[in-house]
Amino acid sequence: EVQLVESGGGLVQPGGSLRLSCAASGFTFSTYDMHWVRQATGKGLEWVSAIGTSGDPYYPGSVKGRFTISRENAKNSLYLQLNSLRAGDTAIYYCARYSSRRGALDVWGKGTTVTVSS
Amino acid sequence: DIQMTQSPSSLSASVGDRVTITCQASQDINNYLNWYQQKPGKTPKLLIYDASNLETGVPSRFSGSGSGTDFTFTISSLQPEDIGTYYCQQYHYLPPITFGQGTRLEIQ
């Protein structure tokens, strides 16, 4: 079964850091681009970052310089390092597989919740 | 960055109704447009890719059309299990992946 399982979320103070992890199984992880998408409570989907099969990272302006995406193919794992966190970063963070054939995020994890509050 | 504008932002319809959601891109994206469904409390699910192709296992009452800047998502006969929020997403210009703001669908 193709599966993505996120972990590492929690409550953190403004300015703090967290490292999110995503464990992949059921597919050849190294051959897929991977993405992080977040969703604040009651809000829409916001793309947070992506990493290509060769390790090239991509970020929107809202998180560039604060978030770092990485992957470890030997462990079938995706990571997102979140630094200098702000209240506006509070959201569910989803890990998602990108299907280049469809141009779509075709497999999603259940998400991990990040709460930034003092 | 490309902006994706969905309308309406919410709608209420009856079981059996035909439901239509539109998505407009700020630039020509050819047919590089996908549609997702997110049921309450659940993870988003891919329904349609390349504007009109049904993802495997998705019921045939769902369909999509369009090209360029204007796209349409249709449910031919609304079912109770279709409640949730629907998002369009473009992938013509990457990065970033861009989502529409979502359309919340309720049953009357």
Side-chain angles (χ1 to χ4, degrees), chain A residues 16-112:
Chain A
S17 298
L18 276 178
R19 190 193 196 207
L20 307 184
S21 299
C22 172
S25 60
F27 65 99
T28 306
F29 176 74
S30 62
T31 64
Y32 286 86
D33 294 352
M34 297 296 296
H35 292 243
W36 289 95
V37 175
R38 69 184 179 184
Q39 185 172 38
T41 302
K43 303 297 184 182
L45 302 172
E46 180 187 14
W47 175 72
V48 172
S49 65
I51 187 165
T53 56
S54 57
D56 297 333
Y58 302 93
Y59 310 96
S62 58
V63 308
K64 198 168 188 177
R66 300 189 300 123
F67 291 6
T68 303
I69 191 171
S70 61
R71 65 191 300 162
E72 193 167 356
N73 291 336
K75 293 187 175 181
N76 291 330
S77 293
L78 177 72
Y79 307 101
L80 187 66
Q81 178 69 40
L82 286 62
N83 295 331
S84 302
L85 283 163
R86 309 164 180 167
D89 296 318
T90 295
I92 298 173
Y93 284 71
Y94 296 104
C95 162
R97 184 181 81 170
Y98 182 76
S99 165
S100 57
R101 181 173 69 84
R102 301 181 192 78
L105 301 172
D106 66 343
V107 179
W108 296 64
K110 295 188 185 305
T112 187

Coordinates of all heavy atoms in Angstrom, one line a residue, chain A residues 16-112:
Chain A
G16 N 10.7 29.9 17.4 CA 11.2 28.6 17.6 C 11.4 27.8 16.3 O 11.1 28.2 15.2
S17 N 11.8 26.5 16.5 CA 12.0 25.6 15.4 C 11.4 24.3 15.6 O 11.1 23.8 16.7 CB 13.5 25.4 15.2 OG 14.2 26.6 14.9
L18 N 11.1 23.6 14.5 CA 10.6 22.2 14.5 C 11.1 21.5 13.3 O 11.4 22.2 12.3 CB 9.1 22.2 14.4 CG 8.2 22.3 15.7 CD1 6.8 22.3 15.3 CD2 8.6 21.2 16.7
R19 N 11.2 20.2 13.4 CA 11.6 19.4 12.2 C 10.5 18.4 11.9 O 10.2 17.5 12.8 CB 12.9 18.7 12.4 CG 13.5 18.1 11.1 CD 14.6 17.1 11.4 NE 15.3 16.8 10.2 CZ 16.0 15.6 10.0 NH1 16.0 14.7 11.0 NH2 16.7 15.4 8.9
L20 N 9.9 18.5 10.8 CA 8.9 17.6 10.4 C 9.5 16.5 9.6 O 10.4 16.7 8.8 CB 7.8 18.3 9.6 CG 7.2 19.5 10.2 CD1 6.0 20.0 9.3 CD2 6.7 19.3 11.6
S21 N 8.9 15.3 9.7 CA 9.4 14.1 9.0 C 8.2 13.5 8.2 O 7.0 13.6 8.7 CB 10.0 13.1 9.9 OG 11.1 13.6 10.5
C22 N 8.5 12.8 7.1 CA 7.5 12.1 6.4 C 8.1 10.8 5.9 O 9.1 10.8 5.2 CB 7.1 12.9 5.2 SG 6.0 12.1 4.0
A23 N 7.5 9.7 6.4 CA 8.0 8.4 6.1 C 7.1 7.8 4.9 O 5.9 7.7 5.0 CB 7.8 7.4 7.3
A24 N 7.8 7.4 3.8 CA 7.1 6.9 2.7 C 7.3 5.4 2.6 O 8.3 4.9 3.0 CB 7.7 7.6 1.4
S25 N 6.2 4.8 2.1 CA 6.3 3.3 1.9 C 5.4 2.9 0.7 O 4.5 3.7 0.3 CB 5.9 2.6 3.1 OG 4.6 2.9 3.5
G26 N 5.7 1.8 0.1 CA 4.8 1.2 -0.9 C 5.1 1.7 -2.3 O 4.4 1.4 -3.3
F27 N 6.2 2.6 -2.5 CA 6.6 3.0 -3.8 C 8.1 3.4 -3.8 O 8.7 3.5 -2.7 CB 5.7 4.2 -4.3 CG 5.9 5.5 -3.4 CD1 6.8 6.5 -3.9 CD2 5.2 5.7 -2.2 CE1 6.9 7.7 -3.1 CE2 5.4 6.8 -1.5 CZ 6.2 7.8 -1.9
T28 N 8.6 3.6 -5.0 CA 10.1 3.9 -5.1 C 10.3 5.4 -4.8 O 10.2 6.2 -5.7 CB 10.6 3.5 -6.5 OG1 10.3 2.1 -6.7 CG2 12.1 3.6 -6.5
F29 N 10.5 5.7 -3.6 CA 10.6 7.1 -3.1 C 11.5 7.9 -3.9 O 11.3 9.1 -4.2 CB 10.9 7.0 -1.6 CG 11.1 8.4 -1.0 CD1 10.0 9.2 -0.7 CD2 12.4 8.9 -0.7 CE1 10.2 10.4 -0.1 CE2 12.5 10.1 -0.1 CZ 11.4 10.9 0.2
S30 N 12.7 7.4 -4.2 CA 13.8 8.1 -4.8 C 13.4 8.7 -6.2 O 14.0 9.6 -6.7 CB 15.0 7.3 -4.9 OG 14.8 6.2 -5.7
T31 N 12.4 8.1 -6.8 CA 12.0 8.5 -8.2 C 10.9 9.5 -8.3 O 10.5 9.9 -9.4 CB 11.6 7.2 -9.0 OG1 10.4 6.7 -8.4 CG2 12.6 6.2 -9.0
Y32 N 10.5 10.0 -7.1 CA 9.4 11.0 -7.1 C 9.9 12.4 -6.5 O 10.6 12.4 -5.5 CB 8.2 10.5 -6.3 CG 7.4 9.5 -7.0 CD1 7.8 8.1 -6.9 CD2 6.3 9.8 -7.7 CE1 7.0 7.2 -7.6 CE2 5.5 8.9 -8.4 CZ 5.9 7.5 -8.3 OH 5.2 6.6 -8.9
D33 N 9.4 13.5 -7.1 CA 9.5 14.7 -6.5 C 8.5 14.7 -5.3 O 7.4 14.0 -5.4 CB 9.0 15.9 -7.4 CG 10.0 16.1 -8.6 OD1 11.1 15.4 -8.6 OD2 9.6 16.8 -9.5
M34 N 8.8 15.4 -4.2 CA 8.0 15.4 -3.0 C 7.7 16.8 -2.6 O 8.5 17.7 -2.8 CB 8.7 14.7 -1.9 CG 8.9 13.2 -2.1 SD 7.4 12.2 -2.4 CE 6.6 12.4 -0.7
H35 N 6.5 17.0 -2.0 CA 6.1 18.4 -1.7 C 5.6 18.4 -0.2 O 5.1 17.4 0.3 CB 4.9 18.8 -2.6 CG 5.3 19.1 -4.0 ND1 5.2 20.3 -4.6 CD2 5.9 18.2 -4.9 CE1 5.7 20.2 -5.8 NE2 6.0 19.0 -6.1
W36 N 5.6 19.6 0.3 CA 4.9 19.9 1.6 C 3.8 21.0 1.3 O 4.1 22.0 0.6 CB 5.8 20.4 2.6 CG 6.7 19.4 3.2 CD1 8.0 19.2 2.9 CD2 6.5 18.5 4.3 NE1 8.6 18.2 3.6 CE2 7.6 17.8 4.5 CE3 5.3 18.3 5.1 CZ2 7.7 16.8 5.5 CZ3 5.4 17.3 6.1 CH2 6.6 16.6 6.3
V37 N 2.6 20.7 1.8 CA 1.5 21.7 1.6 C 0.9 21.9 3.0 O 0.8 20.9 3.8 CB 0.4 21.1 0.7 CG1 -0.8 22.0 0.6 CG2 1.0 20.9 -0.7
R38 N 0.5 23.1 3.3 CA -0.1 23.3 4.6 C -1.5 23.9 4.5 O -1.8 24.4 3.5 CB 0.8 24.2 5.5 CG 0.9 25.7 5.0 CD 1.9 26.5 5.9 NE 2.0 27.9 5.4 CZ 2.9 28.7 6.0 NH1 3.7 28.4 6.9 NH2 2.9 30.0 5.5
Q39 N -2.2 23.8 5.6 CA -3.5 24.3 5.7 C -3.9 24.8 7.1 O -3.9 24.0 8.0 CB -4.5 23.1 5.3 CG -6.0 23.6 5.2 CD -6.8 22.5 4.6 OE1 -6.7 21.3 4.9 NE2 -7.8 22.9 3.7
A40 N -4.1 26.0 7.2 CA -4.5 26.6 8.5 C -6.0 26.3 8.7 O -6.7 26.0 7.7 CB -4.3 28.1 8.4
T41 N -6.4 26.3 9.9 CA -7.7 25.9 10.3 C -8.7 26.7 9.5 O -8.7 28.0 9.6 CB -7.9 26.0 11.8 OG1 -7.0 25.2 12.5 CG2 -9.3 25.6 12.2
G42 N -9.6 26.1 8.8 CA -10.7 26.8 8.1 C -10.2 27.5 6.8 O -11.0 28.2 6.2
K43 N -9.0 27.3 6.4 CA -8.4 28.0 5.3 C -8.1 27.0 4.1 O -8.3 25.8 4.3 CB -7.1 28.7 5.6 CG -7.3 29.7 6.8 CD -8.3 30.8 6.4 CE -8.4 31.9 7.4 NZ -9.4 33.0 7.1
G44 N -7.6 27.5 3.0 CA -7.3 26.7 1.9 C -5.9 26.1 1.9 O -5.2 26.2 2.9
L45 N -5.6 25.4 0.8 CA -4.3 24.7 0.7 C -3.2 25.7 0.3 O -3.4 26.5 -0.7 CB -4.4 23.6 -0.3 CG -5.4 22.5 0.0 CD1 -5.6 21.6 -1.1 CD2 -5.1 21.8 1.3
E46 N -2.1 25.6 0.9 CA -0.9 26.5 0.6 C 0.3 25.7 0.4 O 0.7 25.0 1.3 CB -0.7 27.6 1.7 CG 0.5 28.5 1.4 CD 0.8 29.4 2.5 OE1 0.4 29.2 3.7 OE2 1.6 30.4 2.3
W47 N 0.9 25.8 -0.8 CA 2.1 25.1 -1.1 C 3.3 25.7 -0.3 O 3.4 26.9 -0.3 CB 2.4 25.1 -2.6 CG 3.7 24.5 -3.0 CD1 4.0 23.2 -3.0 CD2 4.9 25.2 -3.4 NE1 5.3 23.0 -3.4 CE2 5.9 24.3 -3.7 CE3 5.2 26.6 -3.6 CZ2 7.2 24.6 -4.1 CZ3 6.5 26.9 -4.0 CH2 7.4 25.9 -4.3
V48 N 4.1 24.8 0.3 CA 5.1 25.2 1.2 C 6.5 25.0 0.7 O 7.4 25.8 0.8 CB 5.0 24.6 2.6 CG1 6.1 24.9 3.5 CG2 3.7 25.0 3.3
S49 N 6.7 23.8 0.1 CA 8.0 23.6 -0.5 C 8.0 22.3 -1.3 O 7.0 21.5 -1.3 CB 9.1 23.4 0.6 OG 8.8 22.3 1.4
A50 N 9.0 22.1 -2.1 CA 9.1 20.9 -3.0 C 10.6 20.5 -3.1 O 11.5 21.4 -2.9 CB 8.5 21.1 -4.3
I51 N 10.9 19.3 -3.4 CA 12.2 18.8 -3.6 C 12.2 17.8 -4.8 O 11.4 16.9 -4.8 CB 12.8 18.2 -2.3 CG1 14.3 17.9 -2.5 CG2 12.1 17.0 -1.8 CD1 15.1 17.7 -1.2
G52 N 13.1 18.0 -5.7 CA 13.2 17.1 -6.8 C 13.9 15.9 -6.5 O 14.5 15.7 -5.4
T53 N 13.9 15.0 -7.4 CA 14.6 13.7 -7.2 C 16.1 13.9 -7.0 O 16.7 13.0 -6.3 CB 14.3 12.7 -8.4 OG1 14.8 13.4 -9.6 CG2 12.9 12.4 -8.5
S54 N 16.6 14.9 -7.6 CA 18.1 15.2 -7.4 C 18.4 16.0 -6.2 O 19.6 16.3 -5.9 CB 18.6 15.9 -8.7 OG 17.9 17.0 -8.9
G55 N 17.3 16.4 -5.5 CA 17.5 17.1 -4.2 C 17.4 18.6 -4.4 O 17.6 19.4 -3.4
D56 N 17.0 19.1 -5.5 CA 16.8 20.6 -5.7 C 15.6 21.0 -4.9 O 14.5 20.5 -5.1 CB 16.6 20.9 -7.2 CG 17.8 20.6 -8.0 OD1 18.9 20.6 -7.5 OD2 17.7 20.3 -9.2
P57 N 15.7 22.1 -4.1 CA 14.6 22.5 -3.3 C 13.9 23.7 -3.9 O 14.6 24.5 -4.6 CB 15.3 22.9 -2.0 CG 16.6 23.5 -2.4 CD 17.0 22.7 -3.6
Y58 N 12.7 23.9 -3.6 CA 11.9 25.0 -4.1 C 11.0 25.5 -2.9 O 10.4 24.7 -2.2 CB 11.0 24.6 -5.3 CG 11.8 24.1 -6.4 CD1 12.0 22.7 -6.5 CD2 12.4 24.9 -7.4 CE1 12.8 22.2 -7.6 CE2 13.1 24.4 -8.4 CZ 13.3 23.1 -8.5 OH 14.1 22.5 -9.5
Y59 N 10.8 26.9 -2.9 CA 10.0 27.5 -1.8 C 9.3 28.7 -2.3 O 9.7 29.4 -3.2 CB 10.9 27.9 -0.6 CG 11.9 26.9 -0.1 CD1 13.2 26.9 -0.6 CD2 11.6 26.0 0.8 CE1 14.2 26.0 -0.1 CE2 12.5 25.1 1.3 CZ 13.8 25.1 0.8 OH 14.7 24.2 1.3
P60 N 8.1 29.0 -1.7 CA 7.5 30.2 -2.0 C 8.1 31.3 -1.2 O 8.9 31.0 -0.2 CB 6.0 30.0 -1.5 CG 6.2 29.0 -0.4 CD 7.3 28.1 -0.8
G61 N 7.9 32.6 -1.5 CA 8.5 33.7 -0.8 C 8.2 33.7 0.7 O 9.0 34.2 1.5
S62 N 7.0 33.2 1.0 CA 6.6 33.3 2.4 C 7.4 32.5 3.4 O 7.4 32.8 4.6 CB 5.1 32.9 2.5 OG 4.9 31.6 2.0
V63 N 8.1 31.5 2.9 CA 8.9 30.6 3.8 C 10.3 30.6 3.4 O 11.2 30.0 4.2 CB 8.3 29.2 3.9 CG1 6.8 29.2 4.2 CG2 8.6 28.4 2.6
K64 N 10.7 31.1 2.3 CA 12.1 31.1 1.8 C 13.0 31.7 2.9 O 12.7 32.8 3.4 CB 12.2 31.7 0.5 CG 13.5 31.4 -0.3 CD 13.4 31.9 -1.7 CE 14.6 31.3 -2.5 NZ 14.5 31.7 -3.9
G65 N 14.1 31.0 3.2 CA 15.0 31.5 4.2 C 14.7 31.0 5.6 O 15.5 31.1 6.5
R66 N 13.5 30.5 5.8 CA 13.1 30.1 7.1 C 12.9 28.5 7.1 O 13.1 27.9 8.1 CB 11.8 30.7 7.6 CG 11.9 32.2 7.7 CD 10.6 32.8 8.4 NE 9.4 32.5 7.7 CZ 8.4 31.9 8.2 NH1 8.4 31.5 9.5 NH2 7.3 31.7 7.5
F67 N 12.4 28.0 6.0 CA 12.1 26.5 6.0 C 13.2 25.9 5.1 O 13.6 26.5 4.1 CB 10.7 26.3 5.4 CG 9.6 26.7 6.3 CD1 9.8 27.4 7.5 CD2 8.3 26.4 5.9 CE1 8.7 27.7 8.3 CE2 7.2 26.7 6.7 CZ 7.4 27.4 7.9
T68 N 13.5 24.7 5.4 CA 14.4 23.9 4.6 C 13.9 22.5 4.4 O 13.6 21.8 5.3 CB 15.8 23.8 5.2 OG1 16.3 25.1 5.5 CG2 16.8 23.0 4.3
I69 N 13.7 22.1 3.1 CA 13.3 20.8 2.7 C 14.5 19.9 2.4 O 15.5 20.4 1.9 CB 12.3 20.9 1.6 CG1 11.6 19.5 1.3 CG2 13.0 21.3 0.3 CD1 10.5 19.6 0.3
S70 N 14.4 18.7 2.8 CA 15.5 17.7 2.5 C 14.9 16.3 2.3 O 13.7 16.1 2.7 CB 16.6 17.8 3.5 OG 16.1 17.4 4.8
R71 N 15.6 15.4 1.8 CA 15.2 14.0 1.7 C 16.3 13.1 1.9 O 17.5 13.5 1.7 CB 14.6 13.8 0.3 CG 15.5 13.9 -0.9 CD 14.8 13.9 -2.2 NE 14.0 12.7 -2.4 CZ 13.0 12.6 -3.3 NH1 12.7 13.6 -4.0 NH2 12.4 11.5 -3.4
E72 N 16.0 11.9 2.4 CA 17.0 10.9 2.6 C 16.4 9.6 1.9 O 15.6 8.9 2.5 CB 17.2 10.6 4.1 CG 18.5 9.8 4.4 CD 18.8 9.9 5.9 OE1 18.2 10.6 6.6 OE2 19.8 9.2 6.3
N73 N 16.9 9.4 0.7 CA 16.3 8.3 -0.1 C 16.5 6.9 0.5 O 15.7 6.0 0.4 CB 16.8 8.3 -1.5 CG 16.3 9.6 -2.3 OD1 15.2 10.1 -2.0 ND2 17.0 10.0 -3.3
A74 N 17.7 6.8 1.2 CA 18.0 5.5 1.8 C 17.0 5.1 2.9 O 16.8 3.9 3.2 CB 19.4 5.5 2.3
K75 N 16.4 6.1 3.5 CA 15.5 5.9 4.5 C 14.0 6.2 4.1 O 13.1 6.2 4.9 CB 15.8 6.8 5.7 CG 17.1 6.5 6.4 CD 17.3 7.3 7.7 CE 18.5 6.8 8.5 NZ 18.7 7.6 9.7
N76 N 13.8 6.4 2.8 CA 12.5 6.7 2.3 C 11.8 7.8 3.1 O 10.6 7.7 3.4 CB 11.6 5.5 2.3 CG 12.1 4.4 1.3 OD1 12.6 4.8 0.2 ND2 11.8 3.2 1.6
S77 N 12.6 8.9 3.3 CA 12.1 9.9 4.2 C 12.3 11.3 3.7 O 13.3 11.6 3.0 CB 12.8 9.8 5.6 OG 12.4 8.7 6.3
L78 N 11.3 12.1 4.0 CA 11.3 13.5 3.6 C 11.2 14.3 4.9 O 10.6 13.9 5.9 CB 10.0 13.8 2.7 CG 9.7 15.3 2.3 CD1 10.7 15.7 1.2 CD2 8.3 15.4 1.8
Y79 N 11.9 15.5 4.8 CA 11.9 16.3 6.0 C 11.6 17.8 5.7 O 11.8 18.2 4.6 CB 13.3 16.3 6.7 CG 13.8 14.9 6.9 CD1 14.7 14.3 6.1 CD2 13.4 14.2 8.0 CE1 15.2 13.0 6.3 CE2 13.8 12.9 8.3 CZ 14.7 12.3 7.4 OH 15.1 11.0 7.7
L80 N 11.2 18.5 6.7 CA 11.0 19.9 6.6 C 11.4 20.6 7.9 O 10.8 20.4 8.9 CB 9.5 20.3 6.3 CG 9.3 21.8 6.0 CD1 10.0 22.2 4.7 CD2 7.8 22.1 5.9
Q81 N 12.5 21.3 7.8 CA 13.0 22.1 9.0 C 12.4 23.4 9.0 O 12.5 24.2 8.0 CB 14.5 22.2 8.9 CG 15.2 23.0 10.0 CD 15.1 22.3 11.4 OE1 15.3 21.1 11.4 NE2 14.8 23.1 12.4
L82 N 11.7 23.7 10.1 CA 11.0 25.0 10.2 C 11.7 25.9 11.2 O 11.8 25.5 12.4 CB 9.5 24.8 10.7 CG 8.5 24.2 9.7 CD1 8.8 22.8 9.2 CD2 7.1 24.2 10.3
N83 N 12.2 27.0 10.8 CA 12.9 27.9 11.7 C 12.2 29.3 11.8 O 11.3 29.6 10.9 CB 14.3 28.1 11.3 CG 15.2 26.9 11.4 OD1 14.9 26.0 12.2 ND2 16.2 26.8 10.5
S84 N 12.5 30.0 12.8 CA 11.9 31.4 12.9 C 10.4 31.4 12.7 O 9.8 32.2 12.0 CB 12.6 32.3 11.9 OG 14.0 32.4 12.0
L85 N 9.8 30.4 13.4 CA 8.3 30.2 13.3 C 7.5 31.4 13.8 O 7.9 32.1 14.7 CB 7.9 29.0 14.0 CG 8.3 27.7 13.2 CD1 8.2 26.5 14.1 CD2 7.4 27.5 12.0
R86 N 6.4 31.6 13.1 CA 5.5 32.7 13.4 C 4.1 32.2 13.6 O 3.8 31.1 13.2 CB 5.5 33.7 12.2 CG 6.8 34.2 11.7 CD 6.7 34.8 10.3 NE 7.9 35.3 9.8 CZ 8.1 35.6 8.5 NH1 7.1 35.5 7.6 NH2 9.3 36.1 8.1
A87 N 3.3 33.0 14.2 CA 1.9 32.5 14.4 C 1.2 32.1 13.1 O 0.4 31.2 13.0 CB 1.1 33.6 15.1
G88 N 1.5 32.8 12.0 CA 0.9 32.6 10.7 C 1.4 31.2 10.1 O 0.8 30.8 9.1
D89 N 2.4 30.6 10.7 CA 2.8 29.2 10.3 C 2.0 28.1 10.9 O 2.1 27.0 10.5 CB 4.3 29.0 10.6 CG 5.2 30.0 9.9 OD1 4.9 30.3 8.7 OD2 6.1 30.5 10.5
T90 N 1.1 28.5 11.8 CA 0.2 27.5 12.4 C -0.7 26.8 11.4 O -1.4 27.5 10.7 CB -0.6 28.1 13.5 OG1 0.2 28.6 14.6 CG2 -1.6 27.1 14.1
A91 N -0.6 25.5 11.3 CA -1.4 24.8 10.3 C -1.1 23.3 10.4 O -0.3 22.9 11.1 CB -0.9 25.3 8.9
I92 N -1.9 22.6 9.7 CA -1.6 21.2 9.4 C -0.7 21.1 8.2 O -0.9 21.8 7.2 CB -2.9 20.4 9.1 CG1 -3.9 20.4 10.2 CG2 -2.5 18.9 8.7 CD1 -5.2 19.7 9.9
Y93 N 0.4 20.4 8.4 CA 1.4 20.2 7.3 C 1.3 18.8 6.7 O 1.4 17.8 7.4 CB 2.8 20.5 7.8 CG 3.1 21.9 8.1 CD1 2.5 22.6 9.1 CD2 4.0 22.7 7.3 CE1 2.7 24.0 9.4 CE2 4.2 24.0 7.5 CZ 3.6 24.6 8.5 OH 3.8 26.0 8.7
Y94 N 1.0 18.8 5.4 CA 0.9 17.6 4.7 C 2.1 17.3 3.8 O 2.6 18.2 3.1 CB -0.3 17.6 3.7 CG -1.7 17.8 4.4 CD1 -2.4 19.0 4.4 CD2 -2.3 16.7 5.0 CE1 -3.6 19.1 4.9 CE2 -3.6 16.8 5.5 CZ -4.2 18.0 5.5 OH -5.5 18.2 6.1
C95 N 2.5 16.1 3.8 CA 3.5 15.6 2.9 C 2.8 15.0 1.7 O 1.7 14.4 1.9 CB 4.3 14.5 3.6 SG 5.3 13.4 2.6
A96 N 3.2 15.2 0.5 CA 2.5 14.7 -0.7 C 3.5 14.3 -1.8 O 4.6 14.9 -2.0 CB 1.6 15.8 -1.2
R97 N 3.1 13.3 -2.5 CA 3.9 12.8 -3.6 C 3.5 13.5 -4.9 O 2.3 13.6 -5.2 CB 3.7 11.3 -3.8 CG 4.6 10.6 -4.9 CD 4.3 9.1 -4.9 NE 3.2 8.8 -5.7 CZ 2.8 7.6 -6.1 NH1 3.6 6.6 -5.7 NH2 1.7 7.4 -6.8
Y98 N 4.4 13.9 -5.7 CA 4.1 14.5 -7.0 C 4.2 13.6 -8.1 O 5.3 13.0 -8.4 CB 5.0 15.7 -7.2 CG 4.8 16.5 -8.5 CD1 3.7 17.4 -8.6 CD2 5.6 16.4 -9.6 CE1 3.4 18.1 -9.7 CE2 5.3 17.1 -10.8 CZ 4.3 17.9 -10.8 OH 4.0 18.7 -12.0
S99 N 3.2 13.4 -8.9 CA 3.2 12.6 -10.1 C 3.5 13.5 -11.3 O 2.6 14.3 -11.7 CB 1.8 11.9 -10.3 OG 1.7 11.4 -11.6
S100 N 4.6 13.3 -11.9 CA 5.0 14.2 -13.0 C 4.2 13.8 -14.2 O 3.9 14.7 -15.1 CB 6.5 14.0 -13.3 OG 6.8 12.7 -13.6
R101 N 3.7 12.6 -14.3 CA 2.8 12.2 -15.4 C 1.5 13.0 -15.4 O 1.0 13.4 -16.4 CB 2.6 10.7 -15.4 CG 1.7 10.2 -16.5 CD 1.6 8.7 -16.5 NE 0.9 8.2 -15.4 CZ -0.5 8.1 -15.4 NH1 -1.2 8.5 -16.4 NH2 -1.1 7.6 -14.4
R102 N 1.0 13.2 -14.2 CA -0.3 13.9 -14.1 C -0.1 15.4 -13.7 O -1.0 16.2 -13.7 CB -1.1 13.3 -13.0 CG -1.5 11.9 -13.2 CD -2.4 11.5 -12.0 NE -2.7 10.1 -11.9 CZ -1.8 9.2 -11.3 NH1 -0.6 9.6 -11.0 NH2 -2.2 7.9 -11.2
G103 N 1.1 15.8 -13.3 CA 1.3 17.1 -12.7 C 0.6 17.3 -11.5 O 0.1 18.5 -11.2
A104 N 0.3 16.3 -10.7 CA -0.6 16.4 -9.6 C 0.0 15.7 -8.3 O 0.9 14.9 -8.4 CB -1.9 15.7 -9.9
L105 N -0.5 16.2 -7.2 CA -0.1 15.5 -5.9 C -1.1 14.4 -5.7 O -2.3 14.6 -5.3 CB -0.3 16.6 -4.8 CG 0.6 17.8 -5.0 CD1 0.3 18.9 -3.9 CD2 2.1 17.4 -4.9
D106 N -0.6 13.2 -6.0 CA -1.5 12.0 -6.1 C -1.6 11.2 -4.9 O -2.5 10.4 -4.7 CB -1.2 11.2 -7.3 CG 0.2 10.5 -7.2 OD1 1.0 10.9 -6.4 OD2 0.4 9.5 -8.0
V107 N -0.7 11.4 -3.9 CA -0.7 10.7 -2.6 C -0.4 11.7 -1.6 O 0.6 12.4 -1.7 CB 0.3 9.5 -2.6 CG1 0.2 8.8 -1.2 CG2 0.0 8.5 -3.7
W108 N -1.2 11.7 -0.5 CA -1.1 12.6 0.6 C -1.0 11.9 1.9 O -1.7 10.9 2.1 CB -2.3 13.6 0.6 CG -2.5 14.5 -0.5 CD1 -2.7 14.2 -1.8 CD2 -2.4 15.9 -0.5 NE1 -2.9 15.3 -2.6 CE2 -2.7 16.4 -1.8 CE3 -2.2 16.9 0.5 CZ2 -2.7 17.7 -2.2 CZ3 -2.3 18.2 0.1 CH2 -2.5 18.6 -1.2
G109 N -0.2 12.4 2.8 CA -0.3 11.9 4.2 C -1.5 12.5 4.9 O -2.2 13.4 4.4
K110 N -1.7 12.1 6.1 CA -2.8 12.6 7.0 C -2.4 13.9 7.6 O -3.3 14.6 8.2 CB -3.2 11.6 8.0 CG -3.7 10.3 7.5 CD -4.3 9.4 8.5 CE -4.8 8.1 8.0 NZ -5.7 8.2 6.9
G111 N -1.1 14.3 7.6 CA -0.7 15.6 8.1 C -0.3 15.5 9.6 O -0.6 14.6 10.3
T112 N 0.5 16.6 9.9 CA 1.0 16.8 11.3 C 0.7 18.2 11.6 O 1.0 19.1 10.8 CB 2.5 16.4 11.4 OG1 2.8 16.4 12.8 CG2 3.4 17.3 10.6

